[in-house]
């Protein structure tokens, strides 16, 4: 799957042919050329010095700078979209900028526009002069030698065009990243990321519950009806006849499919988890574990659905890993609330040596816990024992 670049720096990481054929070199050029606006504002700030002169020019320049700072800050926010298409969150909605935007506008007014225009001039002037050398350089009297050199220089200039595109995009991307770091409050970004992650997890859980209902009320009921019809049809056939034997086989297959479907529904979202909460669900899955498991999950309240679902998934996968890989004779599942976080531990007395890179599903467990803002740690020295510990915040 190819990801769509959101910034000029992201575009630089793609294949050269894709980057050069995209709009990002032109967007980067436009972003840097927009430095003309703060340069004009800087000229306006210096105008009183040229017109009035003396000490009286300083207060007038400060007044002009204060007047221009707000529109310049708004312009810089708009300009950022050229090199960074990620949404800008956490800034004031009104016309007046916050102190971050005002500070960035002041830096752009005083210094940054110089660098922008210098990079554009350096990146474009060299290839342009070389490309136009056959036109602007007169032919020497002796003829072809100088003319050939100009065409070689023109070819070199064409080869430098991709280099110029990368130079413009690199500086524009770095400038945009610096601008975002200066004007966007990092705490607002983190809060929005947390809220977005919570919305994604809730949407996933809602879709999973919908699939569970569809399987339970649709496919499972049809399989039950099919099994009953096959049983009734078998009553009308002579016992032991070929048709009766085939009907019995079909009924047995339907029964096996029904058992597998029920197991699938239980894995999607077990009814005991929805009805009775995490402690009962963990005891249920531990009771079906081939390795004897003791359960000590003591909670004084129901947890949010996404937390219960993630913790149940951790318990299921960890107990499955104990049965498949640990060689343990027993294990224990412990859970408790500590300072607003659910701490769930699965410990076994097996051989240890569990490695997240070894294909035992530990990486998937860590990703699942991270999706709800938690952390997963694994302590598994060679020779054992192994402890898998998940810590999940119960309120975001």
């Amino acid at each position: 799957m190819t990801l769509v670049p959101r910034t000029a720096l992201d575009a630089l990481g793609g294949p050269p042919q894709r980057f050069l054929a995209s709009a990002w070199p032109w967007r980067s050029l436009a972003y840097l050329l927009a430095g003309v606006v703060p340069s004009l504002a800087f000229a306006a700030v210096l105008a009183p010095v040229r017109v009035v002169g003396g000490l009286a020019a300083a207060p007038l320049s400060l007044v002009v700078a204060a007047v221009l700072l707000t529109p310049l800050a708004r312009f810089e926010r708009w300009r950022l979209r050229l090199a960074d298409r990620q949404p800008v969150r956490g800034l004031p909605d009104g016309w007046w900028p916050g102190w971050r935007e005002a500070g960035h506008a002041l830096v752009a007014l005083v210094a940054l526009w110089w660098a922008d225009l210098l990079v554009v001039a350096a990146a474009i002037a060299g290839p342009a002069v070389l490309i136009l050398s056959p036109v602007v350089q007169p032919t020497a009297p002796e003829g072809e030698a100088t003319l050939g050199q100009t065409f070689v220089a023109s070819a070199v200039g064409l080869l430098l065009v991709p280099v110029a595109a990368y130079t413009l995009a690199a500086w524009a991307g770095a400038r945009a990243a610096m601008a975002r770091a200066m004007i966007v409050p990092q705490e607002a970004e983190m809060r929005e990321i947390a809220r977005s992650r919570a919305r994604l997890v809730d949407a996933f859980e809602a879709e999973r519950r919908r699939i569970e209902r569809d399987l339970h009320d649709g496919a499972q009921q049809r399989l039950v009806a099919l099994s009953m019809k096959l049983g009734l049809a078998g009553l009308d056939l002579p016992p032991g006849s070929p048709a009766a034997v085939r009907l019995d086989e079909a009924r047995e297959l339907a029964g096996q499919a029904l058992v597998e479907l029920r197991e699938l529904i239980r894995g999607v979202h077990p009814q005991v988890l929805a009805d009775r909460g995490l402690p009962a669900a963990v005891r249920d899955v531990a009771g079906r574990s081939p390795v004897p498991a003791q359960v000590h999950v003591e909670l004084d309240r129901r947890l949010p659905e996404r937390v219960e679902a993630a913790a149940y998934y951790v318990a299921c996968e960890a107990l499955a890993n104990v049965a498949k890989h640990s060689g343990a004779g027993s294990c224990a599942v412990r859970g408790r609330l500590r300072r607003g976080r659910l701490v769930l531990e699965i410990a076994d007395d097996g051989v240890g040596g569990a490695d997240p890179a070894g294909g035992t599903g530990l990486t998937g467990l860590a990703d699942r816990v991270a999706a709800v803002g938690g952390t997963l740690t694994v302590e598994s020295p060679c020779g054992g024992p192994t402890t898998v510990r998940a810590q999940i915040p119960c309120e975001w």
Side-chain angles (χ1 to χ4, degrees):
M1 181 177 64
T2 302
L3 297 179
V4 178
R6 304 293 299 276
T7 68
L9 291 180
D10 291 342
L12 286 174
Q17 65 274 13
R18 183 179 300 158
F19 166 73
L20 295 174
S22 69
W24 283 108
W26 299 104
R27 294 173 68 97
S28 301
L29 177 61
Y31 177 78
L32 297 180
L33 285 177
V36 171
V37 173
S39 73
L40 295 176
F42 185 72
V45 170
L46 294 182
V49 177
R50 295 193 299 269
V51 175
V52 179
L55 296 177
L60 290 176
S61 295
L62 291 176
V63 170
V64 173
V67 170
L68 293 178
L69 205 57
T70 293
L72 186 58
R74 303 296 294 186
F75 174 78
E76 287 293 332
R77 186 194 297 193
W78 171 86
R79 176 190 180 192
L80 183 62
R81 303 175 190 172
L82 294 172
D84 187 341
R85 295 194 293 192
Q86 301 177 97
V88 178
R89 304 182 179 94
L91 297 183
D93 295 330
W95 173 254
W96 298 104
W99 66 270
R100 286 176 173 272
E101 279 191 286
H104 176 257
L106 183 61
V107 174
L109 175 68
V110 175
L112 292 179
W113 66 269
W114 294 85
D116 294 342
L117 298 183
L118 282 175
V119 170
V120 171
I124 293 180
V129 170
L130 292 175
I131 292 172
L132 296 176
S133 57
V135 178
V136 299
Q137 181 174 339
T139 304
E142 56 272 17
E144 297 182 358
T146 303
L147 183 62
Q149 291 174 0
T150 60
F151 279 103
V152 170
S154 181
V156 172
L158 290 174
L159 293 177
L160 288 177
V161 170
V163 178
Y166 270 88
T167 301
L168 293 172
W171 177 248
R175 272 279 286 112
M178 180 174 61
R180 174 176 286 275
M182 291 181 68
I183 69 176
V184 179
Q186 296 301 309
E187 58 273 14
E189 287 268 283
M190 296 305 298
R191 284 197 300 268
E192 181 59 31
I193 289 172
R195 285 193 292 265
S196 176
R197 184 169 58 184
R199 289 193 295 269
L200 288 174
V201 172
D202 289 342
F204 171 77
E205 291 299 330
E207 181 65 14
R208 194 167 68 162
R209 297 295 297 272
R210 185 192 65 79
I211 294 173
E212 177 205 3
R213 289 193 301 269
D214 291 345
L215 291 174
H216 186 275
D217 300 335
Q220 181 175 247
Q221 299 302 323
R222 292 189 183 93
L223 281 174
V224 172
L226 174 61
S227 182
M228 292 178 62
K229 288 181 179 295
L230 289 174
L232 293 173
L235 296 177
D236 298 332
L237 297 175
S241 64
V245 171
R246 285 192 290 271
L247 274 178
D248 289 339
E249 293 174 353
R251 186 181 181 188
E252 183 178 353
L253 290 175
Q256 294 175 358
L258 184 59
V259 171
E260 293 177 359
L261 182 61
R262 284 172 176 165
E263 288 294 325
L264 176 62
I265 294 173
R266 181 182 296 172
V268 170
H269 196 90
Q271 193 64 35
V272 65
L273 179 62
D275 294 342
R276 300 171 55 194
L278 182 63
V282 172
R283 283 193 292 269
D284 177 68
V285 71
R288 292 182 277 112
S289 172
V291 178
Q294 296 181 351
V295 178
H296 303 281
V297 180
E298 302 296 336
L299 306 176
D300 56 4
R301 58 186 172 90
R302 287 294 298 266
L303 305 180
E305 287 188 7
R306 57 178 173 266
V307 175
E308 288 189 338
Y312 178 77
Y313 181 81
V314 169
C316 289
E317 290 299 313
L319 289 174
N321 284 339
V322 170
K324 292 178 183 177
H325 308 290
S326 71
S330 64
C331 62
V333 182
R334 294 181 290 271
R336 61 192 182 279
L337 288 174
R338 180 192 297 170
R339 294 190 293 273
R341 300 174 70 88
L342 170 66
V343 181
L344 185 69
E345 296 179 347
I346 299 92
D348 66 70
D349 58 0
V351 297
D355 183 6
T360 57
L362 294 176
T363 301
L365 278 180
D367 293 341
R368 179 61 182 266
V369 173
V372 291
T375 58
L376 185 84
T377 57
V378 179
E379 299 174 3
S380 184
C382 290
T386 296
T387 301
V388 177
R389 181 181 297 106
Q391 300 187 52
I392 306 173
C394 298
E395 295 181 1
W396 289 5

